[in-house]
Amino acid sequence: MQRAELQRVPLRLIAAWLALSALGLFAGEFLIGLSRPALSLMLTQLAPGLSGPLEFIEHRGQRHLRFNARTTSPRTLGPMAALPAGQPLPSSASLAHVLVPLVIFGSLVVAWPARSGAEAWRRLICGSVGAALVLLLTTPVQLVGLIELAVHDYAQQQGAPRAPPLLVQAMLMLEGGGRWALPVAMATLVIALARAARRSDGWAEPLGRAAQKP
């Protein structure tokens, strides 16, 4: 990559960040709404003992994505603590919080220069899959992690000591910097895959020309 291209990356990154932030502001709820079936499926996989719809609500002047969860069966927490079937356990995350990892990911994928139109298209296709993975690996973990943290605190208060569940630890890791590190790592992978595919095309071209010779 030429030095001039590298020098333009910071400006491209700022422009991409602003553009995607504006898109999230005006169309973020619609886009996340389209992802609700996949998010609900992921929530079911992470917390099979919980069930409930995902919905958008207004909370303290901000739009939130709420998981209206209820327990599907009784849950024993200790000798003196239990949750009955049907116990409401809602959790929510602000829409801005949900969108931040996607904006980080998209900004990096868009800002890094592509060496050809074909590479740009491959990056777009890989980026769509990468964005879906970023969303599914952050928002459901946060929503279920908040519920498990509340349940853990309740069990502690009832004299049922227990180690923090794995999902609580995963949520704390995300909130401790993982929400930034994950989209950066995913964007790096997407860019590398698109670039590697371009190199494969480069190897294939001489072979194709050789095959056409009489």
Side-chain angles (χ1 to χ4, degrees):
M1 182 179 301
Q2 297 179 358
R3 171 180 281 186
E5 289 181 319
L6 286 175
Q7 290 175 339
R8 287 194 294 268
V9 167
L11 293 177
R12 290 165 60 97
L13 186 60
I14 293 172
W17 179 279
L18 292 174
L20 290 174
S21 296
L23 178 63
L25 180 64
F26 292 106
E29 185 169 329
F30 172 74
L31 296 174
I32 298 300
L34 295 177
S35 305
R36 275 193 289 187
L39 290 170
S40 297
L41 180 60
M42 188 65 172
L43 288 169
T44 300
Q45 298 301 313
L46 292 176
L50 299 174
S51 179
L54 279 170
E55 60 185 12
F56 292 103
I57 63 168
E58 190 79 19
H59 180 64
R60 296 181 179 178
Q62 289 187 330
R63 297 296 288 172
H64 280 239
L65 180 65
R66 181 169 68 182
F67 180 29
N68 256 335
R70 291 179 180 270
T71 54
T72 56
S73 59
R75 182 174 175 182
T76 301
L77 305 177
M80 302 296 292
L83 295 175
Q87 173 68 43
L89 292 171
S91 67
S92 68
S94 71
L95 188 59
H97 202 62
V98 170
L99 290 171
V100 163
L102 295 174
V103 171
I104 295 171
F105 170 81
S107 298
L108 291 170
V109 170
V110 171
W112 195 258
R115 295 186 176 179
S116 68
E119 181 181 332
W121 277 108
R122 284 193 293 268
R123 191 184 299 177
L124 178 62
I125 295 170
C126 293
S128 300
V129 177
L133 289 175
V134 168
L135 180 63
L136 293 176
L137 293 174
T138 52
T139 299
V141 172
Q142 182 186 7
L143 293 174
V144 177
L146 288 171
I147 293 172
E148 291 297 334
L149 181 59
V151 171
H152 175 71
D153 290 344
Y154 172 73
Q156 297 283 85
Q157 294 168 6
Q158 299 301 313
R162 59 205 292 263
L166 181 60
L167 278 170
V168 171
Q169 299 179 41
M171 180 193 70
L172 294 177
M173 287 179 61
L174 286 174
E175 295 303 312
R179 295 175 62 81
W180 289 69
L182 176 63
V184 169
M186 188 67 71
T188 302
L189 178 61
V190 165
I191 293 169
L193 286 174
R195 183 63 53 83
R198 184 188 66 82
R199 293 194 184 104
S200 297
D201 291 346
W203 281 102
E205 288 176 4
L207 293 176
R209 287 196 296 267
Q212 293 174 3
K213 289 182 180 180

